[in-house]
Amino acid sequence: MHSSTASPTHPSGRTLGLSLALVSAFAFGGSGTAAKPLIEAGLSPLHVVWLRVTGAAVALLPVAYRHRDAVLRRPGLLLGFGLLAVAGVQACYFAAISRIPVGVALLIEYLGPPLLIGYVKFVQRKPITRGAAVGAGIAVAGLACVVEVWNGLGFDALGVLFALGAACCQVGYFVLADAGRRGEHPVAPLAVSAYGLLIGAVLLTALTRPWQTDWSPLGGSVVMNGHTLPALIPAAWMVLIATVLAYLTGVVSVGYLSPPIAGVVANLEAVVATVLAWVLLGEHLGLPQVAGGLLVLVGAFAAQISKPAEGEAGSASGSASGAGSTPGGVATEVTAGGGPLS
């Protein structure tokens, strides 16, 4: 294990954590835009999820082998991450975007960060920063504008329910990513991502039975906003960028930022997804929805500039001296092993 060189409360640590969280948000933001043409070409949402998760799991097999001891040290953590943060989020999200616009589905899903703040404060009974709470409130107001709640949520009701299910599963993503670096048997963030994707792939394989589906659309072309391109291009982007890179950078970022702050910053994914869906899929949004996206940006900014909550600094500095759970160790893992929720 590596010794710590920075802590989550140190400016350099927070800067690195914010940078990783931003990379993750931008990477995750392209998942729905890449997946929707594949769904429209004939693949079911669940089979697109299976393709995404299984492809990423195969890509991360070397990481899983390197950290194979994690299976014995924290099997419950890895199983929970695979079930909630991978299979649950992905299945609910892709089912949602098959029925409602990508931007709306993702913005409803990102009610997860406010739910996360409530979980941390009232269930775990841990302090949260004022900035995280204020940022989450602003972000919720932005989400309400995007889905235009004053019109009674004029979208497919089942699609909205799927998106809300993804929001609940997303809470597990941040809670379990943070739990992995704590306790007597900490697990490297890369191991959490790799085994979470492997477990998610196994669960989705049992659910979707991919050998029974017609995968021929992958050998053809798809249409994105009037332009034709090979189906393998969005499929590869979905696997390598929107899953492998997104999960790795996202899980690592939680080690530098508290889960509530990382969750609020992750709201930027919704803005990225909305813009990409507008540009690449032609899913135009109205002025209230654009204003809502700007509010989400303001909320993320308010959260990430906040000072650590009272008690958070003490726990962070305490964990910084523990072997295997330090942000410095995480940074070395990223450098040595390469580069983490829709």
Side-chain angles (χ1 to χ4, degrees), residues 9-32:
T9 57
H10 193 278
S12 62
R14 285 171 62 86
T15 299
L16 178 57
L18 176 61
S19 299
L20 292 170
L22 289 173
V23 170
S24 179
F26 276 82
F28 270 130
S31 63

Side-chain angles (χ1 to χ4, degrees), residues 27-117:
F28 270 130
S31 63
T33 302
K36 192 151 189 175
L38 299 176
I39 295 173
E40 293 175 343
L43 295 178
S44 72
L46 276 179
H47 284 108
V48 172
V49 173
W50 178 87
L51 175 66
R52 178 186 183 185
V53 173
T54 304
V58 171
L60 289 176
L61 279 176
V63 176
Y65 179 78
R66 179 184 177 186
H67 297 281
R68 55 194 179 278
D69 61 320
V71 177
L72 298 177
R73 287 189 286 130
R74 302 289 292 275
L77 171 77
L78 301 180
L79 180 62
F81 194 86
L83 179 63
L84 295 177
V86 177
V89 169
Q90 305 296 336
C92 289
Y93 173 66
F94 279 84
I97 68 171
S98 70
R99 309 182 70 94
I100 60 179
V102 167
V104 173
L106 196 54
L107 285 158
I108 296 174
E109 178 192 341
Y110 269 82
L111 289 171
L115 294 176
L116 173 64
I117 287 178

Side-chain angles (χ1 to χ4, degrees), residues 50-313:
W50 178 87
L51 175 66
R52 178 186 183 185
V53 173
T54 304
V58 171
L60 289 176
L61 279 176
V63 176
Y65 179 78
R66 179 184 177 186
H67 297 281
R68 55 194 179 278
D69 61 320
V71 177
L72 298 177
R73 287 189 286 130
R74 302 289 292 275
L77 171 77
L78 301 180
L79 180 62
F81 194 86
L83 179 63
L84 295 177
V86 177
V89 169
Q90 305 296 336
C92 289
Y93 173 66
F94 279 84
I97 68 171
S98 70
R99 309 182 70 94
I100 60 179
V102 167
V104 173
L106 196 54
L107 285 158
I108 296 174
E109 178 192 341
Y110 269 82
L111 289 171
L115 294 176
L116 173 64
I117 287 178
Y119 177 85
V120 170
K121 183 172 178 62
F122 298 109
V123 178
Q124 294 186 332
R125 298 188 180 279
K126 294 180 180 179
I128 61 171
T129 68
R130 180 178 300 176
V134 171
I138 295 173
V140 169
L143 293 168
C145 291
V146 172
V147 300
E148 296 181 332
V149 292
W150 53 85
N151 289 331
L153 278 176
F155 299 108
D156 181 274
L158 187 56
V160 171
L161 286 176
F162 279 130
L164 288 172
C168 293
C169 290
Q170 194 193 62
V171 173
Y173 169 87
F174 292 103
V175 171
L176 293 172
D178 182 60
R181 64 188 181 92
R182 301 182 183 277
E184 296 181 0
H185 304 288
V187 178
L190 300 187
V192 174
S193 296
Y195 279 101
L197 286 164
L198 280 171
I199 292 169
V202 171
L203 294 172
L204 289 170
T205 297
L207 176 65
T208 62
R209 295 186 290 252
W211 54 87
Q212 294 182 354
T213 195
D214 178 17
W215 293 100
S216 60
L218 288 178
S221 300
V222 295
V223 177
M224 297 185 71
N225 201 17
H227 301 284
T228 301
L229 69 160
L232 288 177
I233 292 179
W237 180 275
M238 181 179 64
V239 170
L240 298 177
I241 304 299
T243 309
V244 173
L245 178 63
Y247 268 98
L248 290 178
T249 52
V251 171
V252 172
S253 73
V254 177
Y256 289 91
L257 306 170
S258 69
I261 292 179
V264 176
V265 173
N267 273 302
L268 292 174
E269 176 193 334
V271 179
V272 173
T274 303
V275 172
L276 289 177
W278 191 338
V279 173
L280 298 178
L281 300 180
E283 294 184 353
H284 297 287
L285 300 178
L287 181 60
Q289 293 169 309
V290 174
L294 292 175
L295 283 176
V296 172
L297 287 171
V298 171
F301 179 76
Q304 68 90 14
I305 64 173
S306 63
K307 296 181 179 179
E310 187 176 336
E312 182 183 319

